[in-house]
Amino acid sequence: MSGMGKWIWLPVACAGLFVAGFMSPDLKTGHVSAKPLANLTKRFSKEEPATFEPRELFSNVFASIGKDYSGSMDQRELKYSAMEGLVGSLGDPHTMFMVPDISREFKKETSGQVDFVGIGARLQPDPQGAKIVSVFHGTPAYNAGIKSGDIILSVNSKSMNGLAIDKIISNIRGEKGTDVTITVLRVSTGQKLTFTMKRNKVLTPTADGFMLDGKQIAYVQVFGFADTTPQQFEDTLNTLDAAKPKGLIIDLRSNPGGLLEAARTMLSRYIADKVVVTMRGREGIEQEVPALSDMAKPLTYPIVVLVNEDSASASEIFAGVMRDYKLATIVGEHTYGKSSVQNLFPMPDGSSAKVTIAKYYLPSGVNMDRKVDEEGKYISGGLLPDVNVSLNLGPATVVGDLKTDNQLQKAVEVIESKL
Amino acid sequence: MAFEDNKRRNINLMAKPSALRILALVVAGGASLGGGYWLRQSSDSAAPIDWNSSVAHETLVASAGGIQDLPESDYYRRVVDILDRNYVDEHMDEQKMAIGAIRGMITSLADPLASYMTKEQFAVFLKNQSGEFEGIGVELKLNWNDEKLAKYKKDEQVDSSDLVPDLIVTAIAPGSPAEKAGIKIGDRVESVDGRWVLSARRIEQFRTNLSKIRESKLTSEEMNTRIRAQFDGFKEGMSPVKAKDLVTMGTSGKVILSWQRDKEVLKAEIARQNTTWPSVIKTDGGVQFRFFTGAEKDFEQLLSTNEPLIIDLRNSTQGNFDTLLKIVEKLAPAKRYGYFVHDDGKVQSSLESKATAKPWPALTFIVDTSTRGAAEILATAFGVDKSATKIQGGKMAGELSLIRTTLLPDKSGFAMPIGKFATQLESKDLNKPKKMAMSNSAEVQG
């Protein structure tokens, strides 16, 4: 029997190879999970299998629509709508499936390479069409005389009533050098005006600023948090700092957010190494995101951050972190309430899935998650401002114009009270 | 003794030359490795494809039709896999996702006759098909502007207000609270419980008001107040789908309803209750027949008298199409009565009887624009033979689609049109029908 002893390693080796065979797909991907073990137990369990695997259920209905639906439909559109519905069923407004066109636009927006051929105006939705929020200097719109506050009624004689904002924008954009005719309603005078201009390449800055008229206060507007924003923010602040302001107003109103990384870089000017946010991912795994080192500059004046309900995500991080470290006062209306981070996962055909991979928490530990009622109306969530002031929406109101923007006026008041 | 011999033989095997030993070891090792791999593959077979494997990726790229035509089940697997690996909440319900996909598909058809229904909505839908009504006892229809809907489907730019449907009364259960309150077929629901129902008209009005205010020369304060009031008032609007549910679901409480008929707006507080609508109601002017679940038996009884029949098909609900098919296929004399055809001319099925039934007694169908669905198909099919059937009354609703309903594993479901009824095929309808329209509701088990 002693002869058998030295062969004991054979069954052990066989067992080892068996396990290696079992795990070989994982060795190829470098990704190991417990899923295969779960699948294994399912295979040998005695319970009745479900009559339809979810995937089969979906495939069956897909096929039956293709074969039996009496109207017209496009297979690819059907497939995309299915994916939109599938991802939408999670009930997370920030996790979504994006078809190729929308994926492309989204990537462009977050990269900050938002140079397009158009007229050079920032728009927001309006029941009559679109409202011009700002007109950039030196652009076709600026030169033609279009002003902030104008309501776009029609483009090239086509009514913009009831069109989605991205459809309106695609009507305005076009080939460089081509003409576009825009009819607006100038609310301050009640007149309808028509402008014709040539489309040109327009580079939209995501951060811009100037010294407020008659005040030694710097005013910086940040429109998004893109790749290019930290540099533009830095450049703007350095230019304004040279004029020795007594205070700074950072305007994040209607800033829908963007890259967490951009917000973190911009915050690093004010906080060094301190925690920006704590991310909580799958299975409760937590990760602290600190500010970058060696970028902080000494704070020499009071800061106010302006926000409203359309300030979301990275905007809320920026404002919330500044407040939590007692570096700024928040003025305006409550923010949107988006406290999650998404990643983009591409599909081979150019579409992609934007997926929430983690929730984040501000240094104070507050969870800002937005809560809405069954019809989508806001109930709670977001940052609550230190000084609550609603925008007085007059006909002549221009955001960023100290004479007509009452929220900006309040911000100035707050700064002056701290001097 | 033999046993000992074997032992000795085994020991002898191990003392055999190394080549054979090595071969044995290799076989044992290979079998173990392969065995493990096979077990993994067979238990993973229902699990996601490993997308990081370049072999799988290459196969897909090389498939005919190119990347964009990835088969839908592979696409589904990939999306589910991405979520499964990355979504912040690791507890996901795949059945819920598959049903979400189905909901997305049905909604994308942008077809008034195709709708996804939640569990609650589907339960009431089935009840209605059986003649049992909740709410105030009406059938409501979401009425879209067909022309604008067609443009939207072609991906043309449409004013979004044109895509908001009206909420119209299409049938009223006899003895129901709605009937008692004086509601009539064709009435349009304007407001429910003090909140007005969103409609194209309302949106236009909002825009006109806004435009007037902006074009006026009011002071900043005044204009600001008025604009704010317009926006606030608009935010109070209720979606037509929600209004529909409030009026047709539930058996308790009351609903404050206002509805429009021509230029008149009427209002009342109406109770919700269960109302039973019988399939057969005998009146002096004829028999009111409704295509509720199981009503084919009632129809058979009506036919059995052999007397000429006057059948009143006005105020009909969409009906249970199974009932229609059973009446034709089991009770009608053998004949092909027509076809159910797709918009592109493809024939879905035929409406025919192969039964050895004797001819029906002389029938008179009383119809008008409130005759629709199963009732309209029956009247149209039998109205062809003018010697046997008279059609009395005016034009019918023009709703000739055969609707299939499908129950899903979570008790939600959807309805979808699978063919429009035509008594004859046009020359473009080249396909011969492959099958008779058999049982019409498909239950997907799960």
Side-chain angles (χ1 to χ4, degrees), chain A residues 52-106:
Chain A
F52 266 116
E53 282 279 330
R55 183 168 49 86
E56 280 178 70
L57 173 66
F58 161 71
S59 278
N60 286 349
V61 174
F62 184 92
S64 109
I65 293 176
K67 193 163 72 72
D68 299 326
Y69 173 59
S70 61
S72 65
M73 54 100 223
D74 175 79
Q75 294 260 331
R76 191 181 306 158
E77 291 303 315
L78 197 66
K79 188 178 67 183
Y80 285 154
S81 302
M83 294 304 109
E84 282 168 358
L86 187 155
V87 182
S89 74
L90 293 171
D92 175 350
H94 308 294
T95 296
M96 59 176 69
F97 177 84
M98 298 191 283
V99 297
D101 283 344
I102 303 202
S103 289
R104 219 172 301 131
E105 278 307 310
F106 182 79

Side-chain angles (χ1 to χ4, degrees), chain A residues 22 24 26 29 43 52 67-70 126-128 158 162 171 282 349 351 356 374-375 393, chain B residues 37 40 42 50 68 75 84 87-88 90 111 157 160 195 207 211 214 224 242 343 346 404 445:
Chain A
F22 188 84
S24 60
D26 295 325
T29 66
R43 193 186 183 281
F52 266 116
K67 193 163 72 72
D68 299 326
Y69 173 59
S70 61
D126 185 272
Q128 288 187 271
K158 185 166 154 204
N171 271 291
R282 292 164 70 89
D349 65 349
S351 50
T356 299
E374 51 167 15
E375 282 177 72
L393 203 66
Chain B
Y37 187 75
R40 172 65 180 272
S42 74
D50 175 15
Q68 301 234 290
Y75 216 90
D84 201 29
Y87 187 59
V88 64
E90 62 268 17
D111 186 326
Q157 295 179 1
S160 59
R195 289 178 61 192
R207 288 190 196 147
S211 158
R214 283 172 165 165
N224 179 40
K242 173 152 188 193
D343 288 358
K346 173 178 161 214
R404 174 198 286 163
Q445 294 158 341

Side-chain angles (χ1 to χ4, degrees), chain A residues 390-404:
Chain A
S390 296
L391 184 66
N392 248 343
L393 203 66
T397 305
V398 174
V399 166
D401 173 17
L402 193 53
K403 286 199 281 290
T404 59

Side-chain angles (χ1 to χ4, degrees), chain B residues 332-347:
Chain B
K335 185 184 161 187
R336 180 170 296 161
Y337 292 93
Y339 305 87
F340 291 107
V341 184
H342 288 192
D343 288 358
D344 62 2
K346 173 178 161 214
V347 179

Side-chain angles (χ1 to χ4, degrees), chain A residues 4 7 9-10 14 17-18 20-26 28-29 31 35-36 39-40 43-44 51-55 57-59 61-62 64-65 67-73 76 78-83 85-87 89-90 92 95 97 100 126-128 151 158 161-163 167 170-171 185 187 189-190 192 280-283 345-349 351 353 355-359 374-375 377 391-395, chain B residues 14 21 25 28-29 32-33 35-44 46-48 50 52 67-70 72-73 75-80 82-88 90 92 94-102 104-106 108-109 111 153 157-160 195 204 206-207 210-211 214-215 217 220 223-224 227-228 231 235 237-238 242 341-343 346 348 404 408-409 414 416-419 444-446:
Chain A
M4 294 298 287
W7 291 100
W9 62 264
L10 181 60
C14 282
L17 287 168
F18 189 90
F22 188 84
M23 289 187 61
S24 60
D26 295 325
K28 255 194 271 174
T29 66
H31 169 94
K35 208 98 200 266
N39 290 344
L40 189 63
R43 193 186 183 281
F44 289 110
T51 350
F52 266 116
E53 282 279 330
R55 183 168 49 86
L57 173 66
F58 161 71
S59 278
V61 174
F62 184 92
S64 109
I65 293 176
K67 193 163 72 72
D68 299 326
Y69 173 59
S70 61
S72 65
M73 54 100 223
R76 191 181 306 158
L78 197 66
K79 188 178 67 183
Y80 285 154
S81 302
M83 294 304 109
L86 187 155
V87 182
S89 74
L90 293 171
D92 175 350
T95 296
F97 177 84
D126 185 272
Q128 288 187 271
I151 313 282
K158 185 166 154 204
N161 259 202
L163 289 190
K167 289 275 188 321
S170 68
N171 271 291
L185 172 62
V187 187
T189 57
K192 287 202 180 99
R280 210 160 289 170
R282 292 164 70 89
E283 287 142 26
F345 297 91
M347 300 282 289
D349 65 349
S351 50
V355 180
T356 299
I357 56 162
K359 294 203 197 264
E374 51 167 15
E375 282 177 72
K377 287 204 218 138
L391 184 66
N392 248 343
L393 203 66
Chain B
M14 281 160 201
R21 193 191 308 173
L25 289 177
S32 306
L33 197 66
Y37 187 75
W38 167 84
L39 185 66
R40 172 65 180 272
Q41 290 298 85
S42 74
S43 55
D44 270 6
D50 175 15
N52 290 311
I67 267 175
Q68 301 234 290
D69 295 321
L70 215 63
E72 80 290 344
S73 66
Y75 216 90
Y76 170 100
R77 257 202 225 170
R78 174 140 198 169
V79 173
V80 169
I82 289 173
L83 293 174
D84 201 29
R85 288 181 198 263
N86 300 288
Y87 187 59
V88 64
E90 62 268 17
M92 288 188 310
E94 200 186 322
Q95 181 178 271
K96 191 170 175 203
M97 292 196 277
I99 292 177
I102 292 171
M105 290 194 287
I106 297 296
S108 78
L109 297 175
D111 186 326
K153 279 180 87 155
Q157 295 179 1
V158 196
D159 184 337
S160 59
R195 289 178 61 192
E204 266 316 304
F206 170 61
R207 288 190 196 147
L210 201 63
S211 158
R214 283 172 165 165
E215 289 177 48
K217 309 240 167 78
S220 160
M223 201 182 282
N224 179 40
I227 289 180
R228 185 128 260 171
F231 272 94
K235 274 195 265 182
M238 181 192 285
K242 173 152 188 193
V341 184
H342 288 192
D343 288 358
K346 173 178 161 214
Q348 172 78 11
R404 174 198 286 163
L408 295 170
F414 64 92
M416 176 171 86
I418 57 172
V444 180
Q445 294 158 341

